[in-house]
Amino acid sequence: ELEIRGIPLAQLGQYLEALGGRLVSDCDTFPFVYEGDGWRGELLSEDELVFTSVFRVNVVKIRFSAVIEEQLDRLIKDYRFKTFGVGG
């Protein structure tokens, strides 16, 4: 599982789609499940982290799985690369 902070939930879903995933679950409730060729990404939950009364960021938990371990490693690496540019 990964915990991503400060990136909107919709954007995180778009990253999974950009990696070849397709939303296969109900789009109104958690978890949001995306499936690609031999892999799965789940947006499990979204919370809010409060630093001060005015500084808050979202926190999204994500779980990845894949048929082949090397594919899982590559998926996580590619996903982290996408989130890095946004500041997550």
Side-chain angles (χ1 to χ4, degrees):
E1 281 185 23
L2 294 180
E3 184 177 278
I4 305 292
R5 297 179 181 184
I7 301 175
L9 180 65
Q11 186 72 45
L12 295 173
Q14 289 172 2
Y15 292 160
L16 289 168
E17 291 173 352
L19 294 172
R22 182 176 61 86
L23 182 64
V24 295
S25 65
D26 182 1
C27 61
D28 293 328
T29 59
F30 286 101
F32 298 103
V33 180
Y34 292 79
E35 291 183 352
D37 186 22
W39 62 266
R40 180 180 180 112
E42 300 171 78
L43 302 176
L44 301 172
S45 65
E46 181 178 38
D47 294 307
E48 186 176 68
L49 183 59
V50 178
F51 290 99
T52 68
S53 61
V54 294
F55 184 57
R56 302 163 186 246
V57 296
N58 72 319
V59 178
V60 178
K61 290 191 178 178
I62 306 171
R63 179 186 308 139
F64 296 99
S65 58
V67 176
I68 302 169
E69 187 173 344
E70 291 81 16
Q71 187 177 25
L72 177 62
D73 293 342
R74 181 67 182 187
L75 174 65
I76 292 172
K77 179 181 175 184
D78 291 348
Y79 196 81
R80 285 181 176 256
F81 183 76
K82 289 192 168 295
T83 62
F84 182 74
V86 178

